[in-house]
Amino acid sequence: LPESYGLIREIDLQQDKKLAFWLNMAAGAAMLAMLAPALPMLGSALWGGVPLLPLLALLLGTFVYPIAHEWVHGIFIRIFCGQKANYGFTGLYAFAGRGDAYFCKAHYLVIALAPVVIWGAVLAILCALAQGPWFLVAYFIQIMNLTGAAGDFYVVYLCLRAPAGLLVNDDGVSMRFYLKKEDC
């Protein structure tokens, strides 16, 4: 970190229970809104009996998607800092980060949004191609894609409101925002 920079904000969702609560409430509301259009199809699928293979695919996707999401964060962390990301699981969420790297605003926006954009496109194509219970599998994982990124969207919001000289340090569990001291 350059000496001319000072800390302006720190986010740690394990410590800031109030922020974690509100982000989870926003994600829950978005999830309910996205589930509503699928309810008629879900009802008919449940009454007709969900085939085992799509059900297993959904269960597998529920466990694999968070790993795939963090893997994409890690790819872009490596692209922008040249070092492998650190991965982990806190008990609440999976993470990717690099505590000794500082990312400019533009790079961090890409890191934060890459999983939602990349997996969102893949899942949108799958939703367009799939039918019946397979559509529901792709759609439910798409819901996970969008609602599970509530923290990423919040960080993007904060970055977009910050001046161009912003530097972001993200160790995966917490993140710190820095500006030149004269801009603080």
Side-chain angles (χ1 to χ4, degrees):
L1 180 69
E3 281 187 37
S4 61
Y5 276 74
L7 180 69
I8 60 164
R9 184 176 206 141
E10 184 169 2
I11 298 171
D12 185 339
L13 294 179
Q14 289 192 309
Q15 299 299 317
D16 190 343
K17 302 296 183 194
K18 185 176 178 181
L19 177 58
F21 172 80
W22 286 111
L23 286 174
N24 284 322
M25 292 301 293
M31 182 179 288
L32 289 175
M34 290 181 71
L35 280 172
L39 287 178
M41 189 175 195
L42 178 60
S44 64
L46 290 175
W47 288 114
V50 179
L52 183 59
L53 198 52
L55 186 59
L56 291 174
L58 179 59
L59 290 174
L60 180 64
T62 300
F63 290 103
V64 170
Y65 175 76
I67 295 166
H69 178 100
E70 296 307 324
W71 177 67
V72 172
H73 281 312
I75 288 170
F76 284 90
I77 287 170
R78 184 175 196 127
I79 288 170
F80 293 129
C81 81
Q83 298 175 333
K84 183 180 178 287
N86 299 316
Y87 298 95
F89 184 72
T90 67
L92 295 173
Y93 55 88
F95 66 84
R98 185 75 203 188
D100 58 354
Y102 296 85
F103 302 98
C104 70
K105 179 178 178 175
H107 289 172
Y108 198 74
L109 288 170
V110 172
I111 291 167
L113 290 173
V116 173
V117 172
I118 290 169
W119 292 120
V122 168
L123 291 163
I125 291 167
L126 290 174
C127 283
L129 297 174
Q131 295 182 7
W134 290 106
F135 167 81
L136 289 173
V137 170
Y139 188 68
F140 288 162
I141 296 172
Q142 181 73 288
I143 291 172
M144 286 178 54
N145 177 47
L146 296 170
T147 61
D152 294 332
F153 290 136
Y154 177 66
V155 170
V156 165
Y157 167 76
L158 294 177
C159 286
L160 290 174
R161 294 187 60 211
L166 182 73
L167 291 179
V168 181
N169 171 252
D170 183 350
D171 63 20
V173 176
S174 61
M175 61 189 54
R176 287 148 297 285
F177 298 90
Y178 298 89
L179 282 176
K180 287 186 178 179
K181 289 178 182 172
E182 63 267 10
D183 294 337
C184 292

